[in-house]
Amino acid sequence: ALASLNAPLRLGALISGESLVNDGSAMVVFFVFYQHKDAGEAVVLFLRLVFGAVAMAIAGLIVLQFTLTKTRNATIELLLILGIVYGAYFGCSLDEVNFSGILCTVMIGFGIAARGTSWITPTNYHWIHKIIGFISSLFVDAVFMIAGVEACFLLIDGGETTVDGRELEDSTIIG
């Protein structure tokens, strides 16, 4: 829709980024209220999820800046970006850490968009952008597919959403 109005590509990116921050914030608020009924504990968890995610994102961006400026190989640059992004998400999700992986990933994305493009070799930038776009579309499709399967199990099992490999194989919907 924005392209038909000849709007700048950066405006579309800003709108998408704002949407991701909203999604990440909604998940943080959901987990805070889902896990804690006491207001004091809820505030502490909220601050931990948000500020921990920001700290992890800053650490990831520092590592990216240091490593990306040392290489000019497109494959290595791509693997460094993916490794830091998904490594930070995984690290945030550990029970011992318990930061918001979603917010951390979004913050790293903002950091790369704001400053990180100068860290990537200009001749590699387009290729890396295309590969990351393809990977992100695969993950979006996978999330919606999993949500659809979970919704089917909710309808079939009357609320039981535990899905393991055996239940998936035995499902009349899938097989």
Side-chain angles (χ1 to χ4, degrees), residues 52-54 56-57 85 88-89 92 99-109:
V54 170
M56 182 78 85
V85 169
Y89 180 86
C92 285
F99 300 153
S100 173
I102 295 170
L103 282 181
C104 178
T105 303
V106 171
M107 293 300 138
I108 291 174

Side-chain angles (χ1 to χ4, degrees), residues 90-173:
F90 176 76
C92 285
S93 301
L94 293 173
D95 288 337
E96 299 82 19
V97 177
N98 195 25
F99 300 153
S100 173
I102 295 170
L103 282 181
C104 178
T105 303
V106 171
M107 293 300 138
I108 291 174
F110 281 159
I112 291 172
R115 302 267 187 224
T117 55
S118 65
W119 307 333
I120 300 169
T121 308
T123 55
N124 299 339
Y125 179 78
H126 180 72
W127 180 79
I128 290 171
H129 187 271
K130 289 290 185 189
I131 297 292
I132 290 176
F134 175 73
I135 291 170
S136 86
S137 68
L138 283 178
F139 282 132
V140 166
D141 291 345
V143 164
F144 281 106
M145 184 189 76
I146 292 167
V149 170
E150 285 291 314
C152 287
F153 278 107
L154 267 173
L155 293 172
I156 291 169
D157 296 337
E160 181 60 41
T161 61
T162 304
V163 178
D164 64 14
R166 183 167 301 128
E167 289 175 347
L168 203 54
E169 286 175 5
D170 296 339
S171 170
T172 57
I173 294 172

Side-chain angles (χ1 to χ4, degrees), residues 15 26 29 31 33 39 47 51 63-65 70-71 74 81 89 100 111 114 119 136-137 150 174:
I15 292 170
V29 170
F31 284 124
F33 287 109
L47 294 174
F51 289 109
V63 171
L64 272 176
Q65 180 183 17
K70 304 288 185 230
T71 184
I81 292 168
Y89 180 86
S100 173
W119 307 333
S136 86
S137 68
E150 285 291 314
I174 305 295

Side-chain angles (χ1 to χ4, degrees), residues 9-68:
L9 291 175
R10 188 147 176 89
L11 178 62
L14 287 172
I15 292 170
S16 295
E18 186 269 338
S19 174
L20 290 171
V21 170
N22 286 345
D23 293 348
S25 300
M27 288 299 295
V28 167
V29 170
F30 169 78
F31 284 124
V32 165
F33 287 109
Y34 180 76
Q35 293 179 0
H36 296 286
K37 295 185 189 245
D38 178 73
E41 289 178 5
V43 168
V44 169
L45 179 61
F46 177 81
L47 294 174
R48 177 187 179 101
L49 287 168
V50 172
F51 289 109
V54 170
M56 182 78 85
I58 290 169
L61 287 167
I62 290 169
V63 171
L64 272 176
Q65 180 183 17
F66 179 77
T67 55
L68 286 176

